[in-house]
């Protein structure tokens, strides 16, 4: 019996061609990153995936190395106060990720004997671990077959398969179904395919300046064949930084990270002149569990 692809989906022969081209390209062009080393532990893979969310590889590399040197196993991090994770997060941004990693480390120690679980459902049940991270760790640490769909993957799929300049503003069910359909059947090959698509989006099929002449899919890319039509959806605006609450929160946390102990209100006040904005941001940090107010009026990184 012959089966055909759903409307708009690539045929089996096209999918096989995608696999051959992209896996060959990845074999020759993949970056040498420590979390891709076969000797890297599942914990190292988990840490890398959390750090890499919304943060470039170049900024993650030194912090990942320092983190694994200090906390080579989940139990090592779990034994420390969560504030130490926030301190070690340094300037990676979105510091709540540090708290999520600490909470996951505690759960791994207490519920899984200190070993990162290899079952997708157990990974997904860890605190702070969402669908993307669970699929990524199951794929990259345990060579399982899961659709790993990040921004780079969505962009490659949008262009190469559907002919759109950019994916939808948020992940859609159709994108996930397409990612599943494109997965090779063999689990280990599927895991390699997942990272290869991500790598193509990071190095070649980039958001602002795609290097189409260097792309192994250029002669069959739906977007290129359509004449590279412009994105016709809502404009994607770059996030501002200067003067925003994000900047103020970062400055407040920087003071607390640099301190050997609790910090007084006057020390925090010195980092930002706008008292109302500073107070609002400090309240937000407390609400997020990133700062702990003490009874004597001082503030500290979270201790429990």
């Amino acid at each position: 019996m012959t089966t055909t692809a759903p409307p708009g989906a690539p045929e089996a022969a096209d999918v096989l061609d995608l696999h051959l081209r992209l896996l060959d390209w990845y074999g020759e062009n993949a970056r040498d990153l420590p979390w891709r080393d076969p000797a890297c532990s599942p914990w190292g893979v988990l840490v890398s995936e959390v750090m890499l969310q919304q943060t470039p590889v170049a900024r993650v590399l030194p912090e990942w190395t320092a983190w694994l040197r200090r906390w080579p196993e989940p139990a090592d991090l779990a034994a420390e106060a969560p504030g130490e994770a926030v301190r070690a997060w340094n300037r990676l941004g979105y510091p709540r990720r540090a708290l999520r990693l600490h909470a996951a480390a505690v759960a791994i120690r207490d519920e899984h004997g200190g070993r990162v679980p290899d079952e997708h459902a157990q990974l997904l049940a860890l605190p702070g671990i969402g669908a993307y991270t669970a699929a990524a760790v199951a794929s990259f640490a345990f060579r399982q077959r899961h659709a790993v769909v990040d921004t780079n993957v969505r962009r490659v799929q949008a262009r190469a398969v559907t002919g759109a300049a950019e994916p939808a503003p948020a992940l859609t069910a159709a994108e996930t179904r397409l990612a599943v359909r494109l997965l090779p059947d063999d689990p280990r090959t599927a895991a390699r395919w997942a990272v290869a698509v991500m790598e193509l989006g990071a190095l070649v099929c980039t958001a602002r300046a795609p290097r189409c002449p260097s792309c192994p899919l250029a002669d069959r890319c739906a977007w290129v064949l359509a004449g590279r039509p412009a994105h016709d959806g809502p404009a994607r605006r770059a996030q501002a930084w200067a003067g925003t609450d994000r900047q103020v929160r970062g400055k407040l946390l920087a003071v607390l990270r640099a301190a050997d102990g609790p910090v007084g209100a006057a020390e925090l006040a010195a980092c930002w002149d706008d008292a109302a904005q500073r107070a609002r941001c400090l309240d937000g940090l407390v609400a997020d569990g990133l700062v702990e107010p003490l009874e004597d009026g001082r503030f500290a990184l979270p201790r429990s």
Side-chain angles (χ1 to χ4, degrees):
M1 177 178 178
T2 302
T3 60
T4 58
E11 297 288 346
D14 292 329
V15 172
L16 179 59
D17 182 58
L18 284 171
H19 293 166
L20 293 173
R21 290 175 181 233
L22 192 47
L23 290 172
D24 283 349
W25 173 87
Y26 180 73
E28 296 179 1
N29 296 277
R31 289 171 291 182
D32 183 15
L33 301 175
W35 45 82
R36 292 178 181 169
D37 189 319
C40 182
S41 69
W43 171 241
V45 173
L46 174 57
V47 172
S48 75
E49 287 301 328
V50 175
M51 286 186 171
L52 286 165
Q53 294 167 15
Q54 299 177 291
T55 307
V57 166
R59 287 176 57 193
V60 166
L61 272 168
E63 307 302 342
W64 182 89
T65 301
W67 189 286
L68 269 294
R69 185 181 298 118
R70 180 173 179 180
W71 298 308
E73 299 292 341
D76 299 319
L77 175 59
E80 299 249 25
E84 289 307 302
V86 176
R87 191 190 309 278
W89 201 250
N90 203 359
R91 300 181 62 84
L92 284 176
Y94 303 98
R96 276 179 288 184
R97 293 180 293 169
L99 292 181
R100 292 200 293 267
L101 259 178
H102 185 275
V106 171
I108 292 168
R109 179 195 63 189
D110 295 347
E111 301 170 18
H112 300 284
R115 299 175 64 87
V116 175
D118 60 1
E119 293 185 17
H120 180 264
Q122 292 179 332
L123 287 165
L124 194 56
L126 293 174
I129 301 302
Y132 166 79
T133 305
V137 174
S139 296
F140 305 147
F142 300 110
R143 304 298 188 267
Q144 297 175 10
R145 186 179 185 272
H146 296 279
V148 185
V149 188
D150 73 346
T151 301
N152 287 316
V153 172
R154 296 178 63 220
R155 187 168 56 253
V156 170
Q157 287 188 175
R159 291 175 179 167
V161 180
T162 66
E166 297 291 341
L171 178 65
T172 66
E175 286 176 299
T176 301
R177 288 194 298 270
L178 178 57
V180 172
R181 177 167 175 75
L182 293 177
L183 278 176
D185 292 332
D186 174 65
R188 295 185 69 85
T189 307
R192 186 171 176 83
W193 162 261
V195 72
V197 181
M198 294 172 67
E199 193 78 334
L200 186 73
L203 300 182
V204 176
C205 193
T206 58
R208 295 186 179 180
R211 297 167 49 224
C212 296
S214 301
C215 180
L217 309 180
D219 65 339
R220 56 154 300 147
C221 172
W223 182 58
V224 171
L225 294 175
R228 296 181 34 153
H231 177 58
D232 60 1
R236 285 167 166 75
R237 298 175 181 172
Q239 289 187 328
W241 172 253
T244 64
D245 284 3
R246 282 184 59 213
Q247 183 185 20
V248 180
R249 285 165 60 101
K251 285 182 173 292
L252 291 167
L253 280 178
V255 173
L256 288 159
R257 286 194 186 102
D260 294 330
V263 171
E267 294 173 82
L268 293 175
C271 78
W272 195 257
D273 292 335
D274 187 330
Q277 186 180 24
R278 186 178 66 248
R280 180 176 69 246
C281 292
L282 184 57
D283 287 345
L285 290 170
V286 171
D288 289 342
L290 290 163
V291 173
E292 183 178 338
L294 307 181
E295 293 182 357
D296 62 4
R298 295 184 298 168
F299 297 87
L301 295 174
R303 298 176 294 180
S304 61

